[in-house]
Amino acid sequence: MDAMGYEGKFYYGTAGATATNLVENVVDLTYDKDTERGSTTIRGDGTKPPIVTSRVTGLKPTITWTMLNRTADTQLAAFRAAAATGAAVAVRTKDHASGKGFDGDVTLTEKEGQPLHGEQTFEFTAEATREFRQPQLYI
């Protein structure tokens, strides 16, 4: 069966422990698994340009999500405070109730949206930190 976006789970918590508080005020969420690479290109025999090659030197998970500006939402307030101060928080993503995803501590950046013809939103981008624990990528 195909999994639908609304079936994904997103949790928040205190840095240093797995996040367990379900965040419901999420419109869209994207979990990116990028890589950093080091060049392994060699010049070869000099008769033609070399073919560029590389090797993975690091994994870079990034989570981006959008929340509606609900003034009484304490989780939104906590994410905004963390983004404003640079404090780490714990997040956990799952692609469905018992699914795979990210489990770790992150630092946040924030974008505020105030479209003329729509609801106000906050978009957060999370990057992993290992200040309190090692992040886990469940695949």
Side-chain angles (χ1 to χ4, degrees):
M1 174 171 30
D2 297 335
M4 301 302 292
Y6 70 87
E7 295 173 310
K9 302 293 182 189
F10 183 59
Y11 300 91
Y12 162 79
T14 303
T18 296
T20 58
N21 302 301
L22 181 64
V23 182
E24 295 182 18
N25 179 20
V26 175
V27 180
D28 294 317
L29 184 141
T30 303
Y31 171 33
D32 295 316
K33 296 172 278 294
D34 200 359
T35 58
E36 291 183 349
R37 297 174 177 270
S39 177
T40 59
T41 304
I42 59 172
R43 83 176 61 236
D45 63 10
T47 61
K48 58 186 178 279
I51 296 173
V52 175
T53 59
S54 63
R55 185 169 174 195
V56 173
T57 60
L59 303 175
K60 185 177 180 183
T62 305
I63 303 162
T64 304
W65 70 96
T66 302
M67 299 177 77
L68 298 180
N69 186 3
R70 295 189 169 158
T71 56
D73 187 337
T74 57
Q75 292 173 329
L76 174 61
F79 286 132
R80 295 195 69 207
T85 62
V89 297
V91 297
R92 174 77 169 102
T93 67
K94 293 184 179 183
D95 57 0
H96 53 83
S98 61
K100 309 280 188 200
F102 175 87
D103 178 12
D105 299 336
V106 297
T107 55
L108 304 175
T109 59
E110 171 192 320
K111 291 182 187 178
E112 183 176 350
Q114 298 181 2
L116 181 60
H117 298 287
E119 60 277 324
Q120 291 185 16
T121 60
F122 290 96
E123 180 183 282
F124 297 96
T125 300
E127 292 189 14
T129 180
R130 61 183 190 98
E131 184 177 357
F132 300 101
R133 64 187 174 123
Q134 185 68 28
Q136 300 295 316
L137 310 179
Y138 297 104
I139 52 174

